[in-house]
Amino acid sequence: MMVPANLTIARNLEAAAVLYDQNDPDCVATRLGGLLKLYFLNNSPAKREQFFKVAEDYLAIPGCRVTHYMSDEGRRRRMAQPHRVPDYFLSKEPDPENADARIDVYEELGGDYYAPPCWHLHGDVFGVNFQPYKLSGLEAHFPPDLMTRDADRLAELALRWVEQLGAIHGSFGFGVLGTPGSENSTGPYWYPWLQAYPLVDQGSLGVYWSASRRGGYDQPFTSNWLTILGDANIEKLGGKGEIRERLGQGMSFLPFKGGAIIRACETPALGNAASGGIPEGYRTAARIIKPIRFEGYQRGIIKTPKELGFTREQDLQVTLDWVRRFD
């Protein structure tokens, strides 16, 4: 399974950075795009309202192509009003034992199978008594050209959303986009992108929820173009002053109520040789969070090709090597 290794942000990545299903050449399995992941605690009755406000904000982005939502039963349904959160989600009563809120809206690409688009927002606010996970989350996908054309505006959006949700950690930059849950249920369609492009992230809320369910959910999982840290994590790293002193040229520190964002450079990058390599700010951000970074994986979260013949221990090492790639 191969992906083009010489792509740059000057290309039409929405068309070129696509990997098709091995069993269906017309079905997109994964693609590269903008990936925002926010993790937060459901520690306030207002969290549900803020969650849906962020969703409305996403749907209001100029050019947003979201047209459908996914029901709890896995049915694809057209939205009555494309720029408004469907009543299907708004009308659900909060459930302390399960979920207080859920969202899954996306751009429908057509075809027999649900394929990953460039516009997709999904996430859950878990109930305060939900036992499996303490950490709620929101994941947003963006077209790759928007990431470089409107980087400042996206950074401003991220800053507003992390404050609204009270994010304790998260990241934003280029990532591998797939459909929720397919990272475990389909082929190894993430692995070749992560090998070819050092700066793209592993997209999936679920794999991190599962990995940290026994502890460590409050620790940052990854760093990226934007690395989000809540106040508790900032204090573990020595405080805002200590972090500011470690920032290099072209980096910036964006505080918000409840934490701060480390911005690695002006625009997101892919990290491959053809696109200019790895900006030093990415390495610096990764090294800043290294002392508190989550590494408590019991198994690998990156599915590897069967032909490699890796054992479970080798699969785990692939994940750890990827997490530690800038150490």
Side-chain angles (χ1 to χ4, degrees), residues 157-173:
L157 271 180
L159 197 60
R160 184 161 72 244
W161 293 350
V162 295
E163 185 166 306
Q164 284 178 289
L165 292 174
I168 59 174
H169 56 80
S171 59
F172 191 12

Side-chain angles (χ1 to χ4, degrees), residues 61-120:
I61 294 173
C64 180
R65 302 195 300 259
V66 168
T67 55
H68 285 64
Y69 68 93
M70 185 68 71
S71 74
D72 293 343
E73 300 77 28
R75 294 191 177 95
R76 298 145 67 180
R77 296 178 175 174
R78 179 173 290 278
M79 292 165 57
Q81 296 174 278
H83 300 294
R84 184 179 181 276
V85 174
D87 288 336
Y88 177 84
F89 300 111
L90 296 173
S91 63
K92 289 183 180 294
E93 292 294 325
D95 183 354
E97 305 297 328
N98 290 288
D100 279 355
R102 174 182 168 268
I103 190 76
D104 190 344
V105 293
Y106 65 97
E107 172 194 6
E108 174 62 48
L109 299 181
D112 295 333
Y113 302 101
Y114 175 35
C118 290
W119 289 98
H120 188 185

Side-chain angles (χ1 to χ4, degrees), residues 31 54 72 85 129 135 148 194 215 226 235 239 242 251 255 261 265 278 305 313 321:
R31 67 191 322 144
V54 169
D72 293 343
V85 174
N129 298 328
L135 197 62
T148 52
L194 298 175
L226 302 185
E235 288 307 308
E242 176 69 20
M251 300 182 71
I261 294 176
C265 52
I278 302 168
E313 290 74 22
D321 288 345

